[in-house]
Amino acid sequence: MKPVTWPPLVWGVVCGAAASGNFQWTVEDVAKSIVCMMMSGPCLTGYTQTLNDWYDRDIDAINEPYRPIPSGAISENEVITQIWVLLLGGLAFAGLLDVWAGHKFPTVFYLALGGSLLSYIYSAPPLKLKQNGWIGNFALGASYISLPWWAGQSLFGSLTPDVVVLTLLYSIAGLGIAIINDFKSIEGDRAMGLQSLPVAFGVDAAKWICVGAIDITQLSVAGYLLASGKSYYALALLGLIIPQVIFQFQYFLKDPFKYDVKYQASAQPFLVLGILVTALATSH
């Protein structure tokens, strides 16, 4: 289930709650947000990761044969059971949140259902979106940034078209982040015919596409905030972009294989803080 992948989803819920402008530090609102985080992180992200590992078992047998499925540490029946338990648990949490929030239309449930379907077609044939580096990585970025934000904002308020567009734009930065993980899988992706961006464009071009997607997206959002009269938020976002660029040159652009983890640990906290700054800007 890869717990290390849950924090971005949990943070997305925080950003959505902040963007709603309606979150209060009451026991009930905190409890709602925790349930929404459980739905987004352990349940639905856990479902996504398990599903992805199952359909990637042949690639992982080449790249990382020690992982639970290719190594035989977990059986097929156990994998299938885990997928269903996590999926149904996540959808049950979503339905509970809609009832708890008094929604006439089950917004959170349909977001969870749509996200679960996106997870399936991302990993499973015949569509298997991850076969295409552009489509697959954007779908991944949208899942990690837009979906939990939308869930948190729908839980405490309502989604607006400008927020939907803004979060989908931010998902291009998520595309860049997703590319980072493709470098370690080049050998297996090439053997299995997957057109990840490092396979399709080569290592040097892919690393510049990666940092370009991350930086240009954030600069565009800062420009949008500035044009909207949110100059202090725009300046705060620009201040958070600078250390990311420094770490890109210090680590990632030097060697995306050797420094991928170090770069993510150094730079991504500034990225996620920037997302919160944007969420707070949209709530005022």
Side-chain angles (χ1 to χ4, degrees), residues 7-162:
L9 281 294
V10 170
W11 189 256
V13 172
V14 171
C15 292
S20 73
N22 296 321
F23 177 84
Q24 303 293 325
W25 285 102
T26 63
V27 172
E28 183 178 12
D29 279 6
V30 170
K32 282 180 185 176
S33 65
I34 290 173
V35 173
C36 194
M37 291 170 185
M38 290 290 293
M39 173 197 76
S40 302
C43 289
L44 294 182
T45 308
Y47 149 79
T48 300
Q49 295 290 353
T50 309
L51 186 75
N52 184 63
D53 276 10
W54 176 247
Y55 284 107
D56 273 2
R57 59 192 184 277
D58 293 333
I59 297 174
D60 287 342
I62 299 171
N63 292 326
E64 300 170 283
Y66 51 83
R67 293 176 75 167
I69 294 173
S71 69
I74 181 171
S75 70
E76 178 178 348
N77 286 338
E78 288 170 331
V79 175
I80 302 303
T81 300
Q82 182 165 307
I83 288 170
W84 278 107
V85 167
L86 293 171
L87 172 61
L88 295 176
L91 294 177
F93 274 138
L96 169 65
L97 288 169
D98 280 317
V99 173
W100 200 348
H103 290 164
K104 293 181 180 179
F105 182 82
T107 312
V108 179
F109 177 81
Y110 279 110
L111 285 172
L113 189 63
S116 302
L117 177 61
L118 181 62
S119 298
Y120 180 79
I121 64 174
Y122 172 80
S123 297
L127 294 179
K128 202 175 179 72
L129 299 182
K130 66 182 297 179
Q131 291 181 111
N132 182 290
W134 293 109
I135 297 172
N137 284 333
F138 182 77
L140 195 62
S143 298
Y144 272 73
I145 294 176
S146 299
L147 280 172
W149 178 319
W150 295 350
Q153 187 160 347
S154 297
L155 180 60
F156 294 102
S158 58
L159 277 175
T160 55
D162 61 322

Side-chain angles (χ1 to χ4, degrees), residues 168-190:
L168 287 175
L169 176 62
Y170 240 123
S171 298
I172 299 173
L175 178 152
I177 295 168
I179 296 171
I180 297 170
N181 295 317
D182 289 337
F183 286 93
K184 66 183 179 183
S185 304
I186 289 177
E187 183 182 348
D189 289 349
R190 188 177 286 123

Side-chain angles (χ1 to χ4, degrees), residues 8 10-21 23 25 37 145 149 153 166-167 170 218 221 225 233-234 236-237 240 244 268-284:
V10 170
W11 189 256
V13 172
V14 171
C15 292
S20 73
F23 177 84
W25 285 102
M37 291 170 185
I145 294 176
W149 178 319
Q153 187 160 347
L166 191 63
T167 51
Y170 240 123
Q218 293 179 93
V221 172
L225 295 179
Y233 290 102
L237 184 55
L240 291 166
Q244 295 177 61
Q268 285 196 20
F270 295 99
L271 173 70
V272 298
L273 283 172
I275 297 173
L276 181 59
V277 166
T278 305
L280 291 169
T282 61
S283 72
H284 290 79

